[in-house]
Amino acid sequence: MLEYRAPERDFEFLLFELYRVQESWRAISAFADFSDDIVRAVLAEGGKLAAEVMAPLNQSGDDEGCRWEDGEVHTPSGFREAFAQIASGGWMGLSGNPEFAGQGLPKLLGCLVEEMFWGSNTGLYLYCTLTVGASICIDTHGSPEQKALYLPKLYSGTWTGAMSLTESHAGTDLGIMRTRAEAQGDGTYRLTGTKIFITSGEHDVAENIVHLVLAKLPGAPSGSRGISLFIVPKYLPTADGEPGERNKLGSGSIEHKMGIKGSATSVMNFDGAVGYLIGEENQGLACMFTMMNYERLSVGIQGLGAGELAYQQAAVYARERLQGRSPLGPQNPDAPADSLLVHPDVRRMLLTIRTLTEAGRAFALFVGMQLDLAKYAKDAEAQALAELLTPVAKAFLSDRGFDCAVTAQQVFGGHGYVKEWGVEQIVRDVRIAQIYEGANGIQALDLVGRKVLRDGGNTVRALVDRITGSEIPLQFQERLREALDRLTRVTTSIVDRAADDPALAGAVSTDYLDLLGYTLYAWLWAAMAEAAPDDDFGAAKWQCAEFYFARILPKTRGLETSIEADSSAVMQLPDSAF
Ligand SMILES: Cc1cc2nc3c(=O)[nH]c(=O)nc-3n(C[C@H](O)[C@H](O)[C@H](O)COP(=O)(O)OP(=O)(O)OC[C@H]3O[C@@H](n4cnc5c(N)ncnc54)[C@H](O)[C@@H]3O)c2cc1C
């Protein structure tokens, strides 16, 4: 079985020793009352739910998958009951608006809860994350009536959310979508069109589904400026807010996928379905971005959860599997062989997974902290950082999560390739995180094209200054300085060269995103070493930091060299030669 246990000690270290959250929370009136005990209780309960309710359904959910029958979708055995437990625990309203029965907890804490839920059962957690995303969108852009009607239902998990953007011919390029909406003159609209790949578009875990649908109004401007956003419930709410008449929408089929088989992905047909405008006409994409930005960090955390789950399996396996002898001479002479842990290359693999995952967790929390400061303290610097780092969190965490899953599979040898141990499932389940919520190439383009070029690299430079001013242990100072200089140099070079080379941003964006990610992880490893306690846990942090600086950070040298090439390296081969 894919056993999962929450890395509680690391959670506590990051919250209380690295980020000292109580100090920053005291400055935010909404969080001033949180005590360490409340935080510990939330994490302990979440960890219990993840380990005891969600993880046991992970492999069975993958084996059984979802079933489509005459438009109805049946989730794997046990999912309904497990979802009900998550819902009744209030987990979907954790960071929700307290005015509408949300719990108003910091996003920072939400990041850790999400990691546990993604890590323990990705297929199941998808029913929750879309619900949280829909509630954030309605809370930000909905009318007071829409908030009062939908938020309590979504926070309590009585109803779930779904996000309907993609059409068969319109994925990344939403501007060419065809789904249309027509005003009925009574404040409502009728939506007609077909969406594909809709996560949780139809299922049996809750009594109603709130679809947030992008569509075009007659005469709307062409492209992405002419898209509006609508709330389209599966059952139209009655005057007292209960599910009433069935709306004209339905699941045409579900996809048969490589992974996340417990998550139902539907083709959704809207046949004159009643919808309610959310936000202003033709401003739908901007409203949807509220949901997508939340989902992007969340999907990054999906990668992180997968990395942690993969590490837990691989570390146990490597300790127990006896194979070969240590290059230092037999370590376990009474046994026929030593454990895999004696082999330097196996240790390299385990340390790679561990250092990427632990730094990834610190990074996700850093982004979560910026979102809290931006929202509750109206901190403009935090807002700029959150915008810069959201595409990095989505892509870097999910790319490294996939790398970690494959590396863990390698630790298992042939046993990683067969189903029994479950590691191949981690690889299949995390792969989608690199694709949905905007493929990772699009995240990289967003980072370079929108965030870095638009402000001439100023936000990156401000971040470098902030890191330079922080406490760094002596043994890492020089190497971190060198990495930060490289980041500054490369940023300036891209900004300078992009003016004369229109294809440059797209040609180097993925390498740049990686360069930024690996450099930030170096800072976070140095900071974690600085904050580490004087015990075994702290000693391991130092040793991991040293591994990261010695073996992972040097990748940034190669990335700099590749970014220095101009776009002709990728553009000169003619289309006809592909
Ligand atoms: C399991 C699953 C669940 C999903 N859930 C949802 C959901 O709930 N709601 C929803 O609306 N959608 C959902 N999607 C759709 C998903 O978000 C899209 O598949 C994704 O955004 C990519 O769009 P596409 O598949 O059309 O690929 P395309 O847009 O055709 O892109 C193909 C490739 O080309 C690259 N590319 C495209 N345009 C550019 C460009 N301008 N510059 C550089 N590179 C480019 C992309 O990076 C990608 O690598 C889901 C998909 C899957 C498979």
Side-chain angles (χ1 to χ4, degrees):
M1 191 180 100
L2 277 175
E3 289 193 8
Y4 174 85
R5 77 200 131 67
E8 278 173 29
R9 178 67 189 96
D10 208 41
F11 287 177
E12 292 209 357
F13 168 69
L14 294 177
L15 290 175
F16 302 125
E17 290 153 83
L18 179 68
Y19 291 128
R20 299 170 188 275
V21 291
Q22 295 303 37
E23 287 169 23
S24 47
W25 286 347
R26 261 194 289 279
I28 298 176
S29 60
F31 300 158
D33 292 340
F34 291 138
S35 66
D36 295 7
D37 288 346
I38 295 179
V39 172
R40 286 197 174 93
V42 169
L43 292 176
E45 276 306 304
K48 212 163 147 225
L49 193 63
E52 295 174 15
V53 176
M54 298 178 74
L57 296 172
N58 197 11
Q59 275 177 289
S60 60
D62 177 65
D63 282 342
E64 191 181 332
C66 295
R67 194 163 42 85
W68 186 94
E69 233 175 55
D70 289 338
E72 296 201 351
V73 175
H74 305 278
T75 54
S77 312
F79 270 39
R80 270 172 73 98
E81 295 76 9
F83 181 86
Q85 258 182 280
I86 301 168
S88 66
W91 294 99
M92 277 166 279
L94 200 71
S95 301
N97 186 345
E99 242 184 280
F100 301 100
Q103 296 179 51
L105 264 67
K107 175 73 198 162
L108 187 68
L109 201 54
C111 289
L112 295 179
V113 171
E114 286 204 288
E115 185 198 321
M116 295 190 274
F117 290 177
W118 279 120
S120 57
N121 194 328
T122 299
L124 175 58
Y125 185 56
L126 275 156
Y127 297 98
C128 309
T129 182
L130 270 299
T131 305
V132 178
S135 68
I136 291 173
C137 185
I138 293 174
D139 190 28
T140 313
H141 302 287
S143 65
E145 296 74 25
Q146 288 171 337
K147 291 185 200 188
L149 172 60
Y150 293 103
L151 291 182
K153 299 282 190 192
L154 293 168
Y155 291 154
S156 64
T158 320
W159 297 358
T160 61
M163 183 176 89
S164 294
L165 290 67
T166 307
E167 299 179 10
S168 58
H169 67 291
T172 302
D173 189 358
L174 292 168
I176 57 175
M177 70 171 49
R178 293 194 191 118
T179 298
R180 59 184 201 280
E182 281 185 45
Q184 297 302 295
D186 61 355
T188 69
Y189 295 77
R190 292 269 175 186
L191 276 83
T192 305
T194 298
K195 300 285 182 180
I196 65 163
F197 294 160
I198 305 308
T199 302
S200 314
E202 177 59 39
H203 58 71
D204 60 2
V205 304
E207 65 177 28
N208 202 0
I209 302 173
V210 181
H211 293 266
L212 293 185
V213 186
L214 288 179
K216 292 198 156 188
L217 289 162
S222 63
S224 56
R225 285 168 211 273
I227 298 175
S228 303
L229 181 61
F230 300 88
I231 298 177
V232 187
K234 175 177 167 186
Y235 293 102
L236 297 170
T238 59
D240 37 352
E242 293 307 313
E245 190 190 330
R246 170 83 198 222
N247 206 353
K248 291 191 173 147
L249 59 93
S251 165
S253 61
I254 54 172
E255 304 296 342
H256 301 282
K257 310 189 294 287
M258 169 181 177
I260 53 165
K261 291 176 189 256
S263 162
T265 312
S266 271
V267 169
M268 292 302 305
N269 298 315
F270 297 89
D271 303 313
V274 174
Y276 311 96
L277 183 72
I278 177 165
E280 302 285 317
E281 286 187 359
N282 301 327
Q283 298 298 316
L285 207 53
C287 298
M288 193 53 124
F289 259 100
T290 305
M291 179 165 184
M292 284 159 70
N293 277 336
Y294 159 77
E295 298 294 350
R296 284 180 175 175
L297 176 57
S298 184
V299 166
I301 296 173
Q302 176 184 350
L304 180 60
E308 175 62 34
L309 180 67
Y311 179 76
Q312 291 184 15
Q313 316 306 309
V316 170
Y317 187 82
R319 193 175 306 117
E320 290 173 0
R321 173 83 171 163
L322 304 182
Q323 217 53 204
R325 288 294 184 193
S326 163
L328 309 177
Q331 303 294 302
N332 191 7
D334 298 335
D338 290 337
S339 96
L340 286 181
L341 276 181
V342 304
H343 301 301
D345 191 56
V346 174
R347 299 174 73 87
R348 174 195 62 78
M349 291 193 275
L350 290 173
L351 281 162
T352 299
I353 307 173
R354 179 156 164 175
T355 53
L356 291 174
T357 302
E358 291 184 11
R361 181 173 297 127
F363 178 55
L365 288 194
F366 182 74
V367 179
M369 199 155 60
Q370 306 315 310
L371 290 170
D372 283 334
L373 287 169
K375 180 171 172 183
Y376 294 100
K378 306 285 172 239
D379 181 328
E381 190 193 337
Q383 179 66 35
L385 271 180
E387 284 173 18
L388 176 80
L389 297 178
T390 295
V392 185
K394 195 283 179 177
F396 197 68
L397 286 170
S398 61
D399 280 346
R400 298 298 78 79
F402 180 73
D403 294 349
C404 288
V406 172
T407 305
Q409 190 179 31
Q410 194 72 14
V411 171
F412 275 76
H415 300 274
Y417 194 70
V418 297
K419 277 183 86 73
E420 184 188 349
W421 290 86
V423 199
E424 56 84 43
Q425 186 192 335
I426 307 176
V427 174
R428 288 187 287 106
D429 283 353
V430 71
R431 181 68 181 88
I432 186 62
Q434 300 173 291
I435 298 171
Y436 58 16
E437 283 312 326
N440 283 359
I442 302 302
Q443 305 301 323
L445 210 49
D446 178 39
L447 171 69
V448 175
R450 286 211 199 101
K451 311 288 162 64
V452 174
L453 291 183
R454 196 169 284 177
D455 76 355
N458 286 339
T459 310
V460 174
R461 280 189 212 97
L463 180 56
V464 167
D465 289 346
R466 175 183 176 150
I467 295 172
T468 306
S470 65
E471 296 264 318
I472 302 296
L474 190 60
Q475 78 184 64
F476 301 122
Q477 279 176 10
E478 201 181 318
R479 285 177 285 175
L480 184 61
R481 178 73 266 149
E482 194 191 308
L484 291 171
D485 287 347
R486 176 173 299 114
L487 176 61
T488 308
R489 198 164 56 234
V490 171
T491 304
T492 305
S493 157
I494 292 176
V495 171
D496 290 347
R497 289 185 293 143
D500 302 323
D501 183 352
L504 184 79
V508 301
S509 49
T510 293
D511 284 344
Y512 180 77
L513 188 145
D514 282 351
L515 175 79
L516 179 56
Y518 284 122
T519 307
L520 293 179
Y521 278 22
W523 163 49
L524 291 165
W525 267 114
M528 286 193 283
E530 177 71 21
D534 192 12
D535 58 14
D536 288 351
F537 174 88
K541 281 284 178 207
W542 275 91
Q543 286 144 2
C544 285
E546 187 46 58
F547 172 85
Y548 186 87
F549 271 84
R551 296 300 302 265
I552 309 276
L553 183 60
K555 287 181 195 298
T556 54
R557 293 184 198 148
L559 288 168
E560 177 177 23
T561 307
S562 104
I563 295 169
E564 281 311 312
D566 64 29
S567 69
S568 65
V570 293
M571 299 305 284
Q572 63 187 352
L573 190 71
D575 288 6
S576 59
F578 279 96

